[in-house]
Amino acid sequence: MKGLTGKTALITGASSGIGQAIAIRLAQEGCNVVINYRKSAQEAEDTSERAMQTACQKSNVRSLLIQGDVSKEEDILNMFNQTIETFGSLDILVNNAGIQKECPSHEVTAKDFDNILSINLRGSFLCAREMIKHCLSQNRAGIIINVSSVHEIIPRPLYASYSISKGGMENLTKTLALEYAARGIRVNAIAPGATITPINQDWIDHPEKKAMVESHIPMARSGTAEEMAAGVAFLASDDASYITGQTLFIDGGLTLYADFREAWSA
Ligand code: NAD
């Protein structure tokens, strides 16, 4: 895709699932990739290895692994410092790190609520803030892509904290896009539908549960992490140079009100 070669991209939560696929795809497009991971250095190294193999035609592409928890401000500052020290600048931030936890809303603890919001939303905001500061200080353009969810618009019972965090992400995307559009900073989001990644381990290995999930999807199948990464690559590229403040739904039609596929009455 246009304009990605030679850029540097930082992807949070990049050692598995969608984040891993984004790191690999952006490396394939010629970007240096900063792979943030929280726990598993081994998974991060595997991601880096796969990204570098994919990028092997473009020998200038490099990867940097940084451990860090996006719910901790000091870890975020360290992540940006290390990135700028290594690469001199940063062009693309992908706020991908996210967690969810099932719980009836009336039983959610303040601790769990805060934890989900502090990773999914506050962490994304703080990373975006650092990215914007960096762009303004170097007087350079920048790209921020938030990995949101179809649940930024579809309410999700039993996952209120997650739903609220992704609803907030829609506003985060739009507010920052408007505030910094004239400074050359584009802010967009992708909203994945049901995607085959570790976050969905409870249903992807169970044919019955999987079939139930997929029965709600107009295209009748789950998405892949690579399909999500393709959307990120597009939004990060110069092919999307006039797009800001938008959420690209990559969901096999999940947000099209699947229950209306057939008429409800004669
Ligand atoms: P995943 O569990 O494989 O990825 C989440 C990543 O975030 C993991 O690598 C994890 O280590 C990392 N992470 C968690 N807490 C972190 C923290 N405090 N600091 C840094 N990293 C942290 O699942 P995934 O499906 O690849 O999820 C990626 C993103 O996609 C999430 O934001 C998720 O909400 C979103 N999403 C996923 C789906 C889906 O169906 N898989 C659908 C919609 C949205």
Side-chain angles (χ1 to χ4, degrees):
M1 279 178 197
K2 256 179 23 193
L4 288 173
T5 305
K7 297 265 167 75
T8 299
L10 187 165
I11 304 110
T12 65
S15 62
S16 66
I18 294 172
Q20 180 180 66
I22 293 169
I24 293 168
R25 177 64 191 259
L26 290 179
Q28 191 183 7
E29 296 287 345
C31 296
N32 298 313
V33 285
V34 182
I35 296 166
N36 158 249
Y37 67 98
R38 185 178 51 162
K39 282 188 184 148
S40 172
Q42 185 55 53
E43 280 182 1
E45 273 160 31
D46 292 347
T47 303
S48 170
E49 212 168 285
R50 287 177 59 191
M52 291 307 102
Q53 275 166 6
T54 315
C56 64
Q57 302 304 323
K58 304 171 180 111
S59 52
N60 290 331
V61 172
R62 286 182 293 155
S63 73
L64 172 68
L65 275 55
I66 306 181
Q67 194 282 330
D69 178 341
V70 298
S71 69
K72 296 187 178 145
E73 189 174 19
E74 63 273 23
D75 284 14
I76 292 175
L77 299 182
N78 172 54
M79 208 155 69
F80 276 80
N81 285 339
Q82 274 198 54
T83 300
I84 311 301
E85 258 172 38
T86 306
F87 293 107
S89 61
L90 180 64
D91 305 285
I92 301 160
L93 163 70
V94 184
N95 277 318
N96 167 78
I99 60 163
Q100 62 181 19
K101 185 173 179 184
E102 183 177 326
C103 185
S105 294
H106 63 283
E107 289 173 8
V108 170
T109 62
K111 190 169 171 237
D112 278 352
F113 182 85
D114 287 349
N115 189 35
I116 291 174
L117 271 286
S118 74
I119 295 170
N120 296 9
L121 189 57
R122 180 175 174 274
S124 298
F125 172 74
L126 293 179
C127 286
R129 184 194 70 187
E130 290 310 302
M131 178 69 186
I132 292 165
K133 271 194 213 164
H134 168 66
C135 293
L136 297 181
S137 72
Q138 291 200 356
N139 197 22
R140 60 189 300 129
I143 288 155
I144 298 172
I145 299 169
N146 295 320
V147 179
S148 181
S149 165
V150 289
H151 296 294
E152 81 167 39
I153 58 165
I154 302 177
R156 192 178 184 196
L158 302 178
Y159 289 85
S161 317
Y162 181 81
S163 251
I164 292 165
S165 75
K166 297 299 186 180
M169 207 169 224
E170 180 186 17
N171 201 288
L172 174 68
T173 302
K174 290 189 165 139
T175 301
L176 296 183
L178 182 56
E179 194 168 344
Y180 296 98
R183 315 288 281 272
I185 299 170
R186 294 193 295 109
V187 186
N188 290 294
I190 63 158
T195 309
I196 303 292
T197 72
I199 213 172
N200 290 323
Q201 211 63 54
D202 64 327
W203 59 261
I204 53 187
D205 293 334
H206 295 85
E208 276 174 28
K209 285 189 191 173
K210 186 163 180 280
M212 200 270 281
V213 169
E214 293 181 338
S215 71
H216 297 287
I217 303 170
M219 286 180 71
R221 67 169 177 87
S222 310
T224 63
E226 290 70 27
E227 287 172 314
M228 306 306 139
V232 171
F234 165 66
L235 288 172
S237 78
D238 287 350
D239 288 326
S241 54
Y242 202 51
I243 300 177
T244 197
Q246 304 303 310
T247 297
L248 176 61
F249 285 82
I250 309 177
D251 65 356
L254 191 58
T255 40
L256 298 176
Y257 300 97
D259 279 357
F260 286 90
R261 272 178 289 203
E262 285 149 26
W264 284 4
S265 61

